[in-house]
PDB file of all heavy atoms in Angstrom:
ATOM      1  N   ASN A 251     -27.705 -16.350  -7.914  1.00  0.00           N
ATOM      2  CA  ASN A 251     -27.658 -17.390  -8.849  1.00  0.00           C
ATOM      3  C   ASN A 251     -28.724 -18.389  -8.442  1.00  0.00           C
ATOM      4  O   ASN A 251     -29.337 -18.338  -7.306  1.00  0.00           O
ATOM      5  CB  ASN A 251     -26.318 -18.061  -8.910  1.00  0.00           C
ATOM      6  CG  ASN A 251     -25.993 -18.847  -7.589  1.00  0.00           C
ATOM      7  OD1 ASN A 251     -26.451 -19.940  -7.188  1.00  0.00           O
ATOM      8  ND2 ASN A 251     -25.083 -18.329  -6.810  1.00  0.00           N
ATOM      9  N   ALA A 253     -29.507 -22.559  -8.554  1.00  0.00           N
ATOM     10  CA  ALA A 253     -28.997 -23.795  -8.703  1.00  0.00           C
ATOM     11  C   ALA A 253     -29.843 -24.707  -9.523  1.00  0.00           C
ATOM     12  O   ALA A 253     -31.056 -24.750  -9.370  1.00  0.00           O
ATOM     13  CB  ALA A 253     -28.710 -24.531  -7.339  1.00  0.00           C
ATOM     14  N   ILE A 255     -28.461 -28.341 -10.188  1.00  0.00           N
ATOM     15  CA  ILE A 255     -28.187 -29.325  -9.296  1.00  0.00           C
ATOM     16  C   ILE A 255     -27.928 -28.793  -7.954  1.00  0.00           C
ATOM     17  O   ILE A 255     -27.134 -27.833  -7.720  1.00  0.00           O
ATOM     18  CB  ILE A 255     -26.944 -30.150  -9.702  1.00  0.00           C
ATOM     19  CG1 ILE A 255     -26.929 -30.613 -11.175  1.00  0.00           C
ATOM     20  CG2 ILE A 255     -26.572 -31.333  -8.791  1.00  0.00           C
ATOM     21  CD1 ILE A 255     -27.851 -31.866 -11.356  1.00  0.00           C
ATOM     22  N   LYS A 256     -28.712 -29.129  -7.023  1.00  0.00           N
ATOM     23  CA  LYS A 256     -28.712 -28.482  -5.632  1.00  0.00           C
ATOM     24  C   LYS A 256     -27.614 -28.914  -4.741  1.00  0.00           C
ATOM     25  O   LYS A 256     -27.382 -30.203  -4.527  1.00  0.00           O
ATOM     26  CB  LYS A 256     -30.065 -28.727  -4.956  1.00  0.00           C
ATOM     27  CG  LYS A 256     -31.258 -28.379  -5.827  1.00  0.00           C
ATOM     28  CD  LYS A 256     -31.377 -26.913  -6.001  1.00  0.00           C
ATOM     29  CE  LYS A 256     -32.734 -26.568  -6.846  1.00  0.00           C
ATOM     30  NZ  LYS A 256     -32.756 -25.156  -7.227  1.00  0.00           N
ATOM     31  N   TYR A 257     -27.011 -27.991  -4.012  1.00  0.00           N
ATOM     32  CA  TYR A 257     -26.084 -28.228  -2.981  1.00  0.00           C
ATOM     33  C   TYR A 257     -27.065 -28.246  -1.652  1.00  0.00           C
ATOM     34  O   TYR A 257     -27.722 -27.293  -1.219  1.00  0.00           O
ATOM     35  CB  TYR A 257     -25.175 -27.092  -2.753  1.00  0.00           C
ATOM     36  CG  TYR A 257     -24.625 -26.665  -1.420  1.00  0.00           C
ATOM     37  CD1 TYR A 257     -23.959 -27.579  -0.689  1.00  0.00           C
ATOM     38  CD2 TYR A 257     -24.779 -25.381  -1.013  1.00  0.00           C
ATOM     39  CE1 TYR A 257     -23.508 -27.176   0.552  1.00  0.00           C
ATOM     40  CE2 TYR A 257     -24.109 -24.999   0.176  1.00  0.00           C
ATOM     41  CZ  TYR A 257     -23.614 -25.929   1.037  1.00  0.00           C
ATOM     42  OH  TYR A 257     -22.979 -25.438   2.300  1.00  0.00           O
ATOM     43  N   TRP A 258     -27.064 -29.521  -1.055  1.00  0.00           N
ATOM     44  CA  TRP A 258     -27.907 -29.634   0.087  1.00  0.00           C
ATOM     45  C   TRP A 258     -27.272 -30.681   1.025  1.00  0.00           C
ATOM     46  O   TRP A 258     -27.388 -31.863   0.768  1.00  0.00           O
ATOM     47  CB  TRP A 258     -29.389 -30.077  -0.280  1.00  0.00           C
ATOM     48  CG  TRP A 258     -30.353 -29.696   0.846  1.00  0.00           C
ATOM     49  CD1 TRP A 258     -31.130 -30.631   1.514  1.00  0.00           C
ATOM     50  CD2 TRP A 258     -30.664 -28.513   1.420  1.00  0.00           C
ATOM     51  NE1 TRP A 258     -31.920 -30.027   2.457  1.00  0.00           N
ATOM     52  CE2 TRP A 258     -31.643 -28.681   2.438  1.00  0.00           C
ATOM     53  CE3 TRP A 258     -30.264 -27.188   1.275  1.00  0.00           C
ATOM     54  CZ2 TRP A 258     -32.246 -27.663   3.156  1.00  0.00           C
ATOM     55  CZ3 TRP A 258     -30.798 -26.084   1.922  1.00  0.00           C
ATOM     56  CH2 TRP A 258     -31.787 -26.349   2.863  1.00  0.00           C
ATOM     57  N   LYS A 260     -23.635 -30.880   4.059  1.00  0.00           N
ATOM     58  CA  LYS A 260     -22.251 -30.438   3.999  1.00  0.00           C
ATOM     59  C   LYS A 260     -21.429 -31.706   4.465  1.00  0.00           C
ATOM     60  O   LYS A 260     -21.907 -32.627   5.170  1.00  0.00           O
ATOM     61  CB  LYS A 260     -22.031 -29.343   5.120  1.00  0.00           C
ATOM     62  CG  LYS A 260     -22.737 -28.160   4.791  1.00  0.00           C
ATOM     63  CD  LYS A 260     -22.374 -26.955   5.613  1.00  0.00           C
ATOM     64  CE  LYS A 260     -23.354 -25.863   5.534  1.00  0.00           C
ATOM     65  NZ  LYS A 260     -22.952 -24.492   6.024  1.00  0.00           N
ATOM     66  N   SER A 270     -22.589 -29.072  -7.262  1.00  0.00           N
ATOM     67  CA  SER A 270     -23.716 -28.275  -7.742  1.00  0.00           C
ATOM     68  C   SER A 270     -23.428 -27.457  -9.017  1.00  0.00           C
ATOM     69  O   SER A 270     -22.231 -27.246  -9.247  1.00  0.00           O
ATOM     70  CB  SER A 270     -24.259 -27.438  -6.661  1.00  0.00           C
ATOM     71  OG  SER A 270     -23.252 -26.568  -6.201  1.00  0.00           O
ATOM     72  N   SER A 349     -28.338 -14.099   0.158  1.00  0.00           N
ATOM     73  CA  SER A 349     -27.006 -14.458   0.749  1.00  0.00           C
ATOM     74  C   SER A 349     -26.038 -14.656  -0.351  1.00  0.00           C
ATOM     75  O   SER A 349     -24.890 -14.269  -0.193  1.00  0.00           O
ATOM     76  CB  SER A 349     -27.082 -15.571   1.757  1.00  0.00           C
ATOM     77  OG  SER A 349     -27.231 -16.819   1.012  1.00  0.00           O
ATOM     78  N   SER A 389     -20.951 -18.151   2.575  1.00  0.00           N
ATOM     79  CA  SER A 389     -22.182 -18.896   2.252  1.00  0.00           C
ATOM     80  C   SER A 389     -21.954 -19.749   1.062  1.00  0.00           C
ATOM     81  O   SER A 389     -21.667 -19.187  -0.043  1.00  0.00           O
ATOM     82  CB  SER A 389     -23.212 -17.768   2.045  1.00  0.00           C
ATOM     83  OG  SER A 389     -24.371 -18.419   1.351  1.00  0.00           O
ATOM     84  N   GLY A 390     -22.090 -21.098   1.141  1.00  0.00           N
ATOM     85  CA  GLY A 390     -21.698 -21.888   0.146  1.00  0.00           C
ATOM     86  C   GLY A 390     -22.073 -21.551  -1.307  1.00  0.00           C
ATOM     87  O   GLY A 390     -21.231 -21.433  -2.191  1.00  0.00           O
ATOM     88  N   SER A 391     -23.278 -21.314  -1.487  1.00  0.00           N
ATOM     89  CA  SER A 391     -23.833 -21.051  -2.850  1.00  0.00           C
ATOM     90  C   SER A 391     -23.242 -19.775  -3.362  1.00  0.00           C
ATOM     91  O   SER A 391     -23.078 -19.539  -4.582  1.00  0.00           O
ATOM     92  CB  SER A 391     -25.335 -21.026  -2.875  1.00  0.00           C
ATOM     93  OG  SER A 391     -25.902 -20.004  -2.076  1.00  0.00           O
ATOM     94  N   ALA A 392     -22.869 -18.820  -2.415  1.00  0.00           N
ATOM     95  CA  ALA A 392     -22.201 -17.553  -3.036  1.00  0.00           C
ATOM     96  C   ALA A 392     -20.914 -17.734  -3.775  1.00  0.00           C
ATOM     97  O   ALA A 392     -20.604 -16.957  -4.587  1.00  0.00           O
ATOM     98  CB  ALA A 392     -21.958 -16.707  -1.737  1.00  0.00           C
ATOM     99  N   ARG A 394     -20.565 -19.577  -6.166  1.00  0.00           N
ATOM    100  CA  ARG A 394     -20.813 -19.625  -7.631  1.00  0.00           C
ATOM    101  C   ARG A 394     -21.198 -18.346  -8.279  1.00  0.00           C
ATOM    102  O   ARG A 394     -21.174 -18.227  -9.353  1.00  0.00           O
ATOM    103  CB  ARG A 394     -22.096 -20.693  -7.792  1.00  0.00           C
ATOM    104  CG  ARG A 394     -21.757 -22.049  -7.352  1.00  0.00           C
ATOM    105  CD  ARG A 394     -22.857 -23.039  -7.739  1.00  0.00           C
ATOM    106  NE  ARG A 394     -24.161 -22.434  -7.385  1.00  0.00           N
ATOM    107  CZ  ARG A 394     -24.988 -22.980  -6.330  1.00  0.00           C
ATOM    108  NH1 ARG A 394     -24.701 -24.193  -5.929  1.00  0.00           N
ATOM    109  NH2 ARG A 394     -26.012 -22.452  -5.948  1.00  0.00           N
ATOM    110  N   SER A 447     -30.784 -21.824   5.774  1.00  0.00           N
ATOM    111  CA  SER A 447     -30.175 -22.787   5.025  1.00  0.00           C
ATOM    112  C   SER A 447     -29.073 -23.537   5.795  1.00  0.00           C
ATOM    113  O   SER A 447     -28.952 -24.797   5.648  1.00  0.00           O
ATOM    114  CB  SER A 447     -29.721 -22.243   3.738  1.00  0.00           C
ATOM    115  OG  SER A 447     -28.734 -21.265   3.946  1.00  0.00           O
ATOM    116  N   HIS A 451     -29.113 -27.517   5.876  1.00  0.00           N
ATOM    117  CA  HIS A 451     -28.011 -28.362   5.475  1.00  0.00           C
ATOM    118  C   HIS A 451     -27.782 -29.502   6.650  1.00  0.00           C
ATOM    119  O   HIS A 451     -27.539 -30.663   6.420  1.00  0.00           O
ATOM    120  CB  HIS A 451     -26.697 -27.637   5.313  1.00  0.00           C
ATOM    121  CG  HIS A 451     -26.640 -26.792   4.047  1.00  0.00           C
ATOM    122  ND1 HIS A 451     -26.599 -27.365   2.810  1.00  0.00           N
ATOM    123  CD2 HIS A 451     -26.744 -25.451   3.878  1.00  0.00           C
ATOM    124  CE1 HIS A 451     -26.647 -26.355   1.894  1.00  0.00           C
ATOM    125  NE2 HIS A 451     -26.713 -25.218   2.502  1.00  0.00           N
ATOM    126  N   LEU A 497     -34.907 -31.655  -3.631  1.00  0.00           N
ATOM    127  CA  LEU A 497     -34.636 -30.785  -2.479  1.00  0.00           C
ATOM    128  C   LEU A 497     -35.747 -30.691  -1.416  1.00  0.00           C
ATOM    129  O   LEU A 497     -35.678 -30.893  -0.347  1.00  0.00           O
ATOM    130  CB  LEU A 497     -34.268 -29.439  -3.041  1.00  0.00           C
ATOM    131  CG  LEU A 497     -34.064 -28.201  -2.117  1.00  0.00           C
ATOM    132  CD1 LEU A 497     -32.798 -28.478  -1.138  1.00  0.00           C
ATOM    133  CD2 LEU A 497     -33.946 -26.808  -2.807  1.00  0.00           C
ATOM    134  N   ASP A 538     -35.852 -22.937  -5.106  1.00  0.00           N
ATOM    135  CA  ASP A 538     -34.890 -22.728  -4.157  1.00  0.00           C
ATOM    136  C   ASP A 538     -35.422 -23.294  -2.823  1.00  0.00           C
ATOM    137  O   ASP A 538     -36.474 -23.803  -2.797  1.00  0.00           O
ATOM    138  CB  ASP A 538     -34.591 -21.219  -4.099  1.00  0.00           C
ATOM    139  CG  ASP A 538     -33.122 -20.905  -3.943  1.00  0.00           C
ATOM    140  OD1 ASP A 538     -32.506 -21.793  -3.422  1.00  0.00           O
ATOM    141  OD2 ASP A 538     -32.669 -19.789  -4.303  1.00  0.00           O
ATOM    142  N   ALA A 539     -34.807 -22.932  -1.714  1.00  0.00           N
ATOM    143  CA  ALA A 539     -35.349 -23.329  -0.476  1.00  0.00           C
ATOM    144  C   ALA A 539     -36.409 -22.346   0.024  1.00  0.00           C
ATOM    145  O   ALA A 539     -36.194 -21.553   0.920  1.00  0.00           O
ATOM    146  CB  ALA A 539     -34.242 -23.529   0.570  1.00  0.00           C
TER     147      ALA A 539
HETATM  148  O1  PMV B 774     -25.480 -21.257   0.312  1.00  0.00           O
HETATM  149  P1  PMV B 774     -26.472 -21.808   1.303  1.00  0.00           P
HETATM  150  O2  PMV B 774     -25.851 -22.293   2.511  1.00  0.00           O
HETATM  151  O3  PMV B 774     -27.383 -20.726   1.569  1.00  0.00           O
HETATM  152  O4  PMV B 774     -27.302 -22.953   0.690  1.00  0.00           O
HETATM  153  C1  PMV B 774     -27.999 -22.918  -0.497  1.00  0.00           C
HETATM  154  C2  PMV B 774     -28.818 -24.055  -0.724  1.00  0.00           C
HETATM  155  C3  PMV B 774     -29.690 -24.179  -1.941  1.00  0.00           C
HETATM  156  O5  PMV B 774     -29.963 -22.671  -2.386  1.00  0.00           O
HETATM  157  C4  PMV B 774     -31.138 -24.615  -1.638  1.00  0.00           C
HETATM  158  C5  PMV B 774     -29.126 -24.857  -3.187  1.00  0.00           C
HETATM  159  C6  PMV B 774     -27.990 -24.284  -3.941  1.00  0.00           C
HETATM  160  O6  PMV B 774     -27.224 -24.954  -4.387  1.00  0.00           O
HETATM  161  O7  PMV B 774     -27.975 -23.090  -4.013  1.00  0.00           O
END
Side-chain angles (χ1 to χ4, degrees):
N251 68 73
I255 304 286
K256 307 291 183 184
Y257 151 55
W258 198 243
K260 302 188 192 195
S270 56
S349 73
S389 167
S391 59
R394 299 185 308 243
S447 59
H451 289 292
L497 170 69
D538 221 332

